[in-house]
Structure formats: C-alpha cells, structure tokens
Amino acid sequence: MTYDIELFRAQFPALATGTAFFDGPGGTQTPRPVIEAMAHALAGPLSNRGHGNPAERNAETIVAEARHALGDLLGADPSGVVFGRSATQLAYDFSRTLAKSWSPGDEVVVTRLDHDSNIRPWVQAAEQAGATVRWAGFDPDDGELRAEAIAEVLSPRTRLVAVTGASNLIGTRPPVPEIARLVHEAGALLYVDGVHLTAHSLVDLDELGADFYACSPYKFLGPHMGVLAARPQLLETLAPDKLLPSTDAVPERFEYGTLPYEMLAGARAAVDVLAAPGAHPERDRREQLVAAFELLGKHEESLRSRIEDGLAGLPAVRVHSRAAVRTPTLLLTLDGRETRDAAHHLAQRGVNAPSGSFYALEASRHLGLGDDGGLRVGLAPYSNTEDVDRLLEGLADFLR
Ligand SMILES: Cc1ncc(COP(=O)(O)O)c(C=O)c1O
C-alpha cells in the first residue's frame, strides 16, 4: 500500500490557493470531511445532551463518537478522554487540580524543551502551593533531552513531571517510555504534552507510560480545541473545582460548561481522515490508524530527507533540529540574515514558513537564539515534493 498524496490533498480546499503550507506545527489546514462534519452537527437538530428527543440524542452521539475516535487515536480508554478549549487550558485546569494536594517541600519537574503551555501552568501552580520547581535541560548541541536529565532532578518529593512528547520548535522526541519508568519509580505522575507529537506519530497511552496526555486536534487536521487522555481510574481520584449541579461523572467532571459539539464532530472526522489511507474492510479504526501512520511516517521521512539534502547545498543555513529521533519539523537560522525577512520573502512566493520561537521560549533561549527562534519548516500530511522544491527555491533565492 502506498500513500496517495494527491488523493489526500484533494480533500483540502485551502490547498487550491496554491500555497505551500509549512506552518502545520502552528495549525494544519482543514479537509472537507471535517468542515462538513462540523456543518452537519450544527445543522442538527442539536441541543444539550440528553435522551428525550432527537436533538438531545444527536448531542449524545456526537460526544460518544468523539471520545471513541480520540480513544482510537491515542490508544486510550474513551472514558478517560476529556475535551477542552485548548491544550493550554487543559494544562492550567489539571495543574490547579493536581496542585491541591501539593505542599511546601514537594517538587515539580519541567523541561527547557517544552512549549510554555507545559511549563508555566506547572511553575505557577507550584509557586501557589509553595512547592519547588526543578528544571531539566536538554543538550543544545544535539537537541537531545535524555532520560538522565530527568533522573538528575527527580527525588522522593517529586509529585509531577511535565515533559513534551515532541518539541514544536526543533522536533526532538524525548524517550518518553524511559522517562515514564523513572518518574513512576520516584512515585510521581507524568504529564505529556503531545500537541506536536500527535500529528506525526500514533501514540498508545500505556506504551508511552503517560499518566496524562494532551493534544490539540487543530494540529492534526481538526478544529481548534484541546483533548486530554488519562486512565479513567486516575481521573476518578481527582477533584477539580466544579459547579454544584454539573455531573461528577468521569470524564465530564473535568469539562466545564457545554461541550462544543460541532468541534467534537470535526475532531472525530479528523481522526477518520487520518485513518483513511490505512482503510481495509478487515481493520478496525485503530488498526487503520496504525497502517496509515506507517505510510505517513515514510512519506514525511522522504520529504524531510529532500529538505535536508537541499538545505545542505545552502551554506548559510544552520539547522537546529538534530536529535536522533524527531518529527519532520526543522528550525533554521541563516548566517548574516534575519529569518523573519526570509519568512516574508517566502510568504510573497506563496510558501508559508513562519519565523519565531513559537512559545517554546525556554527552548529558543537554551539554544542561544534568544526570544527570536528561527524559521520553522514543518511537514504536514498534505505536504508534497512540489511544496518542498518551492521552499528550497525560495530560500535559495532569498540567500542569493
Ligand atoms: C508543543 C505544543 N504544546 C502546546 C501547544 C499549545 O496548544 P493549544 O493552542 O491547544 O493551547 C502548542 C501550540 O502550538 C504546541 O505546539
């Protein structure tokens, strides 16, 4: 089976603009089935969840189907799938809930590699609880965040470790299963930011060893919302602040107010679009996803090599994405030239590859790039060789 990239691309109205999108790590383009699923949900009939009439039942079905789809995508129990507005909001909510049991002397570990949304909520929650924050670094030369860096800052007082599944700035994928073993040996919980990883790799909550795993469907062809997966048994032990009349059931206990049903319908459709290249009558959706992500991985790998080979011929380009295991997301700086000017030059040629530190502020500083970061080139499931060649030509033209 091969990945039919042109068939895949035909689903995206935005690709008809002729733009080459390398800004997927900031948010992917939306395929028609997702747009249609959202419109269909709103066309209804649709009202609050319940079983009394078709409108209520539609809302129930949408929520159940979305939990099931995200469970398939994340290798998680659908009853442990929590929906929220964004991964940032979920990190704030869960940090507040977990911090209720922290006290002075307790420790929380964050990393220099993470997006700020998996750092600041923990730092601030720790400060409010009087707990101590311990920082794990990464190697700025090779971009690796090694398990030893986490081991060094673990102690019997560690309550929680927050680590990224993949860096949205340089693509590094830390060895999460190994980190999880260390964290659990220390008696702590592991919160994994999977926002960047989920677009590129099919995860399994248990294999990863994450206690909490957060992601954002708008990074993998879906709508703008956040998702968190955890074992329902763990969620049962947590007591978030909540309204008096709202249900205490898991996972609803963690979902504030009315769920955005149209977004949930879109998220379910996004999982189906991701699974489609692996479609086979004898496979369930998880098995289709396994097959599809294998094809996607090969596709993205070949495009990444094409970019890297092309960049090797441009002497002014420095590539900061060097970890042995990483996503196809490259951070570049250009000797003697501003990357924001390069981004502008590319945009004028219909190539979207923005410049910045993309909220991975600590990582950008740790790499010696200050708050400016660099030019980020991220592949998405719809990227093709023509996009890559246009990017390389645009960069060569800028540097000429
Ligand atoms: C790695 C990573 N974590 C977290 C976030 C924040 O996600 P959200 O916009 O859903 O809050 C982003 C967004 O760019 C990200 O790339």
Side-chain angles (χ1 to χ4, degrees), residues 20-79:
F21 294 96
F22 290 97
D23 49 3
T28 44
Q29 301 307 307
T30 313
R32 207 166 275 112
V34 171
I35 299 165
E36 283 165 4
M38 293 176 72
H40 183 73
L42 286 170
L46 186 68
S47 49
N48 264 343
R49 290 171 69 180
H51 300 279
N53 59 56
E56 289 179 356
R57 283 195 289 275
N58 279 346
E60 279 295 340
T61 303
I62 287 170
V63 175
E65 287 183 350
R67 289 204 210 282
H68 201 246
L70 269 298
D72 281 350
L73 183 69
L74 305 177
D77 184 334
S79 317

Side-chain angles (χ1 to χ4, degrees), residues 216-231:
S216 308
Y218 75 95
K219 308 283 193 186
F220 52 85
L221 319 181
H224 296 84
M225 57 178 293
V227 178
L228 179 139
R231 277 178 299 109

Side-chain angles (χ1 to χ4, degrees), residues 200-216:
H200 302 287
S201 178
L202 190 68
V203 304
D204 178 286
L205 197 64
D206 285 338
E207 273 176 28
L208 212 54
D211 295 299
F212 305 96
Y213 183 91
C215 65
S216 308

Side-chain angles (χ1 to χ4, degrees), residues 322-339:
R322 303 197 194 103
V325 185
R326 58 194 160 87
T327 62
T329 297
L330 300 173
L331 185 77
L332 317 177
T333 52
L334 310 168
D335 290 344
R337 302 295 298 271
E338 294 288 340
T339 52

Side-chain angles (χ1 to χ4, degrees), residues 313-394:
L314 301 173
V317 177
R318 276 175 206 272
V319 181
H320 299 269
S321 304
R322 303 197 194 103
V325 185
R326 58 194 160 87
T327 62
T329 297
L330 300 173
L331 185 77
L332 317 177
T333 52
L334 310 168
D335 290 344
R337 302 295 298 271
E338 294 288 340
T339 52
R340 85 174 74 90
D341 295 338
H344 183 65
H345 184 84
L346 289 170
Q348 282 177 327
R349 301 172 66 119
V351 177
N352 289 8
S355 164
S357 55
F358 308 100
Y359 280 38
L361 200 58
E362 299 289 346
S364 178
R365 290 176 182 170
H366 200 62
L367 286 165
L369 302 175
D371 294 359
D372 291 342
L375 189 80
R376 185 174 66 178
V377 174
L379 293 172
Y382 43 73
S383 303
N384 68 3
T385 50
E386 195 194 326
D387 290 344
V388 168
D389 293 346
R390 284 172 60 198
L391 168 83
L392 292 169
E393 279 158 24

Side-chain angles (χ1 to χ4, degrees), residues 70-329:
L70 269 298
D72 281 350
L73 183 69
L74 305 177
D77 184 334
S79 317
V81 171
V82 177
F83 294 115
R85 200 184 69 70
S86 63
T88 303
Q89 178 248 309
L90 288 162
Y92 265 109
D93 285 353
F94 275 81
S95 60
R96 266 57 198 162
T97 298
L98 289 162
K100 287 182 185 191
S101 70
W102 300 347
S103 48
D106 284 343
E107 295 176 6
V108 174
V109 173
V110 292
T111 89
R112 300 263 175 224
L113 188 64
D114 272 82
H115 184 285
D116 216 54
S117 88
N118 200 32
I119 297 177
R120 224 54 58 186
W122 304 107
V123 168
Q124 292 161 358
E127 278 168 6
Q128 284 155 24
T132 303
V133 177
R134 305 197 68 183
W135 290 83
F138 65 96
D139 187 333
D141 294 327
D142 61 14
E144 299 283 2
L145 191 157
R146 300 188 169 82
E148 295 82 66
I150 302 285
E152 274 169 23
V153 289
L154 287 174
S155 88
R157 293 302 302 267
T158 311
R159 302 296 308 276
L160 182 120
V161 174
V163 71
T164 191
S167 158
N168 65 310
L169 192 65
I170 54 173
T172 300
R173 291 182 55 183
V176 176
E178 201 181 334
I179 292 171
R181 270 192 299 280
L182 296 168
V183 171
H184 294 146
E185 273 166 29
L189 291 170
L190 181 64
Y191 191 103
V192 175
D193 174 353
V195 174
H196 183 60
L197 179 63
T198 311
H200 302 287
S201 178
L202 190 68
V203 304
D204 178 286
L205 197 64
D206 285 338
E207 273 176 28
L208 212 54
D211 295 299
F212 305 96
Y213 183 91
C215 65
S216 308
Y218 75 95
K219 308 283 193 186
F220 52 85
L221 319 181
H224 296 84
M225 57 178 293
V227 178
L228 179 139
R231 277 178 299 109
Q233 297 84 340
L234 174 61
L235 295 178
E236 291 287 356
T237 67
L238 303 177
D241 289 338
K242 63 174 279 300
L243 303 182
L244 217 49
S246 69
T247 174
D248 200 33
V250 164
E252 281 86 352
R253 178 193 296 185
F254 299 91
E255 296 171 328
Y256 292 112
T258 306
L259 284 171
Y261 304 119
E262 65 279 14
M263 304 282 208
L264 268 52
R268 192 264 304 143
V271 174
D272 287 335
V273 170
L274 286 170
H280 188 284
E282 279 164 28
R283 290 183 184 143
D284 65 19
R285 185 168 44 202
R286 175 71 186 181
E287 290 164 341
Q288 291 181 29
L289 283 162
V290 170
F293 268 82
E294 212 176 295
L295 293 173
L296 174 66
K298 285 190 187 130
H299 174 70
E300 290 187 337
E301 218 168 279
S302 87
L303 291 183
R304 187 180 84 181
S305 300
R306 194 178 180 95
I307 297 178
E308 286 172 343
D309 292 349
L311 293 178
L314 301 173
V317 177
R318 276 175 206 272
V319 181
H320 299 269
S321 304
R322 303 197 194 103
V325 185
R326 58 194 160 87
T327 62
T329 297

